[in-house]
């Protein structure tokens, strides 16, 4: 999952938004950690349970903003965070349907644990479906695995 995050990171520029969907323990934060490491993000990337959005400076100067929208009920509440979507790379856990109207392009990742059960003891490979939305992601090509 970290490796997938790193491959994704290679594509990301200021203004890009990645929405991560998938149940508790699916691997959303784990993927974000790999993505952050590849961007040279400073600060630990953790599940921001009590922090709705955390900004990590990165090596390129474009900050990585990691949002946990689990507790946010609507697009209006996300709007209240006053995110700098244009100037950042924004990764939103539980982001489906919560950025309506604010963006015209985003990359959605749906992460599944094929075996279900207790997430704490599930080391099985995850299934990830990548769905590009909007003009930004026309012709999307994920860099190969290294
Ligand atoms: N192949 C895998 N991919 C992702 N995580 C895995 C994998 N195998 C085991 N894990 C473990 O599953 C857990 C995933 O937790 P993580 O915090 O990334 O999930 P999350 O989707 O962010 O959950 P939450 O909804 O609670 O924020 C971690 O403990 C991780 O070590
Ligand atoms: Mg998480």
């Amino acid at each position: 999952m970290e490796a997938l995050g790193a491959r994704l990171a290679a594509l990301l520029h200021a203004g890009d938004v990645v929405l991560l969907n998938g149940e508790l323990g699916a691997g959303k934060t784990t993927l974000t950690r790999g993505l952050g490491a590849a961007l040279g993000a400073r600060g630990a990337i953790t599940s921001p349970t009590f922090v709705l959005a955390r900004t990590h400076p990165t090596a390129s100067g474009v900050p990585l903003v990691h949002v946990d929208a689990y507790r946010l009920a609507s697009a209006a509440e996300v709007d209240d965070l006053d995110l700098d979507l244009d100037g950042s790379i924004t990764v939103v856990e539980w982001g489906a349907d919560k950025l309506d109207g604010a963006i015209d392009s985003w990359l959605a990742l749906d992460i599944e644990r094929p075996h279900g059960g207790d997430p704490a003891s599930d080391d099985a490979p995850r299934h990830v479906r990548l769905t590009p939305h909007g003009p930004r992601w026309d012709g999307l090509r994920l860099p190969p695995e290294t």
Side-chain angles (χ1 to χ4, degrees):
M1 199 58 83
E2 282 100 333
L4 178 62
R7 288 167 71 194
L8 212 66
L11 300 174
L12 298 176
H13 301 289
D16 289 344
V17 177
V18 179
L19 305 185
L20 303 180
N21 305 303
E23 60 180 296
L24 293 168
K28 302 179 293 294
T29 301
T30 305
L31 184 142
T32 309
R33 204 170 286 136
L35 195 152
L39 292 174
R42 275 186 271 142
I45 293 178
T46 56
S47 249
T49 307
F50 299 106
V51 183
L52 295 174
R54 193 172 280 148
T55 300
H56 301 271
T58 73
S60 74
V62 176
L64 170 66
V65 177
H66 181 203
V67 182
D68 193 328
Y70 185 69
R71 285 180 182 70
L72 300 177
S74 66
E77 288 184 34
V78 174
D79 195 48
D80 280 345
L81 295 177
D82 240 343
L83 301 172
D84 176 16
L85 294 172
D86 291 335
S88 317
I89 292 167
T90 306
V91 176
V92 189
E93 296 193 30
W94 302 102
D97 305 324
K98 306 246 176 77
L99 280 152
D100 293 6
I103 48 174
D104 64 354
S105 294
W106 67 94
L107 201 56
L109 271 71
D110 293 284
I111 308 174
E112 273 175 29
R113 294 190 302 113
H115 299 299
D118 179 7
S121 56
D122 181 10
D123 284 344
R126 273 41 170 176
H127 293 181
V128 183
R129 190 174 61 235
L130 227 114
T131 315
H133 296 266
R136 161 69 179 100
W137 300 107
D138 280 351
L140 168 70
R141 279 256 182 332
L142 205 58
E145 279 181 79
T146 51

